[in-house]
Amino acid sequence: MASSLAVLISLVACAALASGVAGVRVELARAHSSRLVGDALRRDMHRHSARRLATSGDTVSAPTMKDPANLGEYLMSLAIGTPPRSYPAIADTGSDLIWTQCAPCSDQCFQQPTPLYNPASSTTFSPATCDTSPGNLCSYNYTYGLGWTAGILGLETFTFGGSSPANQARVPGIAFGCSNASSDNWSGSSGLVGLGRGSLSLVTQLGADKFSYCLTPFQDTNSTSTLLLGPSASLNGRGVGSTSFVTSPAQALTHYYVNLTGISLGATALSIPADAFALNDTDGTGGIIIDSGTTFTYMVDAAYQHVRAAVLSLVTTLPTTDASATTGLDLCFALPSSTSAPPAMPSMTLHFDGADMVLPADSYMILDAGLWCLAMQTNIPGLPSILGNYQQQNMHILYDVGQETLSFAPANCGTF
């Protein structure tokens, strides 16, 4: 099955490269919930605890936005089939499979905001086969930290871009998951688009050497920004920092690892052990990945405790409060009222190998119903640390897979 699937993906990539699309833009926007912090944290913990370290001139772009119901996720808009049926999907750099629910669907299907895609109603759908027998369909059962989905793989034409046909690009032969059973915790989306390094990801299937996004602020559920895949994904000018990706271990080829060497709060460098975020080449444990599908940042405890202590030492005018039952976060302060402004805090700097990412206070502290909390947590020992999307807000980020570099610069993503 593995060898047949490799051939399938090779054919898909060739089809994408030959499609001649001049460019595709996909909007991104933020999810929101009245129980924002606690629900996002619970989704993160499920995702994190279940995580197992287990060249073309074309550009594809997709509009993306924050999902009002899906808590800490960002959604991208795309369309599937002929005629094209639009659906919003979670944009996830931490996984590979592209999937949506398909009709007919079993009892194990979730409510979604768009009608189910029906392959029988599309003139461009074909099932994928995984060996020499034409009748042997490729089935999958994909597990995430936040849920699972199962179905068969198919090939279909995907449409990217805005509502105007002039701004759209249609790409045939994309391998995707046609799910007929899923867990029920994907509310606000109709599926997921994997942007990882694996063969089934959208990035790989389009043959995109690079892609970029700019995530709108966490509390902003109205603005949209753009995900670009291909040559138009670029980042130039002043304030751009670049760091090399760390080679992914065999146990986790999907993920984008980076080399985080230290953290500062204001002008103070924290006494974090030099090897705190090091990747163990022997067993693939440790390291730190950047992930658009996880909300908050998770650190090895040796690093997190230093960050926590530094924040605690600076907030002297507010009492701490145990809000773990409602927020799931470890360090929270009680504001005088739900409308009170928090005190000023210095920026936090993440020191990567060759570049510094500077986070303003509202990218590492979060306001929620009269609470002001550190939007970071300790991670599970052995699993990678994660740079979550809350820390990536208002940051233009470029994944240059061809050059194996991650570049970033501060930006007003609501106007991107």
Side-chain angles (χ1 to χ4, degrees):
M1 176 174 175
S3 60
S4 299
L5 196 55
V7 172
L8 166 68
I9 297 304
S10 176
L11 293 173
V12 167
C14 290
L17 291 173
S19 62
V21 293
V24 183
R25 302 180 64 83
V26 183
E27 288 181 357
L28 284 169
R30 189 59 149 148
H32 181 71
S33 169
S34 59
R35 300 170 59 197
L36 191 63
V37 177
D39 287 344
L41 195 284
R42 279 185 284 277
R43 292 172 67 85
D44 274 0
M45 292 306 293
H46 284 303
R47 177 186 177 92
H48 198 39
S49 63
R51 188 185 297 277
R52 292 293 179 265
L53 295 176
T55 25
S56 168
D58 300 337
T59 296
V60 172
S61 69
T64 59
M65 65 180 297
K66 184 71 181 68
D67 169 22
N70 213 17
L71 312 169
E73 309 288 355
Y74 286 85
L75 300 183
M76 57 186 290
S77 299
L78 62 164
I80 182 172
T82 305
R85 301 293 184 185
S86 297
Y87 77 100
I90 297 169
D92 185 19
T93 60
S95 66
D96 296 321
L97 184 66
I98 307 162
W99 64 269
T100 188
Q101 293 189 117
C102 293
C105 204
S106 74
D107 292 337
Q108 288 185 293
C109 288
F110 58 88
Q111 292 291 325
Q112 65 178 50
T114 55
L116 292 176
Y117 160 77
N118 189 340
S121 299
S122 173
T123 61
T124 47
F125 171 82
S126 62
T129 57
C130 283
D131 58 24
T132 55
S133 173
N136 194 351
L137 303 179
C138 294
S139 62
Y140 63 87
N141 192 325
Y142 221 77
T143 300
Y144 303 82
L146 51 78
W148 59 271
T149 190
I152 63 165
L153 288 178
L155 300 176
E156 185 56 285
T157 295
F158 278 69
T159 302
F160 304 90
S163 58
S164 170
N167 297 325
Q168 293 177 345
R170 287 174 57 80
V171 183
I174 295 292
F176 77 106
C178 197
S179 289
N180 49 36
S182 301
S183 56
D184 62 359
N185 46 359
W186 306 89
S187 61
S189 77
S190 298
L192 186 145
V193 174
L195 299 170
R197 290 179 174 272
S199 58
L200 284 172
S201 82
L202 181 62
V203 177
T204 302
Q205 291 197 59
L206 292 177
D209 284 341
K210 53 187 177 178
F211 67 96
S212 69
Y213 56 70
C214 197
L215 302 182
T216 54
F218 194 77
Q219 304 289 354
D220 183 353
T221 60
N222 297 315
S223 299
T224 61
S225 59
T226 302
L227 169 71
L228 290 167
L229 298 102
S232 292
S234 61
L235 188 54
N236 302 297
R238 300 179 60 182
V240 177
S242 297
T243 185
S244 296
F245 286 122
V246 175
T247 301
S248 300
Q251 300 91 332
L253 295 176
T254 290
H255 302 313
Y256 297 97
Y257 283 82
V258 287
N259 185 13
L260 181 60
T261 60
I263 300 174
S264 297
L265 190 57
T268 303
L270 306 185
S271 301
I272 296 172
D275 61 350
F277 298 102
L279 177 63
N280 188 322
D281 293 330
T282 302
D283 60 9
T285 59
I288 181 168
I289 64 173
I290 179 169
D291 185 4
S292 67
T294 296
T295 306
F296 299 125
T297 286
Y298 293 81
M299 300 180 182
V300 291
D301 194 61
Y304 172 75
Q305 293 302 332
H306 283 286
V307 172
R308 184 185 191 280
V311 170
L312 188 60
S313 70
L314 291 178
V315 183
T316 59
T317 60
L318 297 175
T320 59
T321 183
D322 182 1
S324 57
T326 55
T327 68
L329 294 171
D330 175 60
L331 178 61
C332 289
F333 302 92
L335 295 170
S337 74
S338 60
T339 59
S340 298
M345 288 286 282
S347 59
M348 180 182 292
T349 303
L350 306 181
H351 302 287
F352 293 101
D353 183 19
D356 289 342
M357 179 180 286
V358 180
L359 306 178
D362 56 8
S363 287
Y364 69 86
M365 301 293 294
I366 185 167
L367 281 169
D368 184 55
L371 297 172
W372 194 46
C373 304
L374 175 62
M376 296 179 174
Q377 268 285 24
T378 186
N379 76 339
I380 298 171
L383 294 183
S385 297
I386 301 173
L387 179 63
N389 63 44
Y390 188 82
Q391 281 65 46
Q392 299 175 50
Q393 61 181 314
N394 272 339
M395 192 75 65
H396 187 185
I397 298 178
L398 172 70
Y399 295 67
D400 192 329
V401 182
Q403 296 298 316
E404 288 294 329
T405 59
L406 179 78
S407 298
F408 45 84
N412 182 355
C413 294
T415 60
F416 182 76

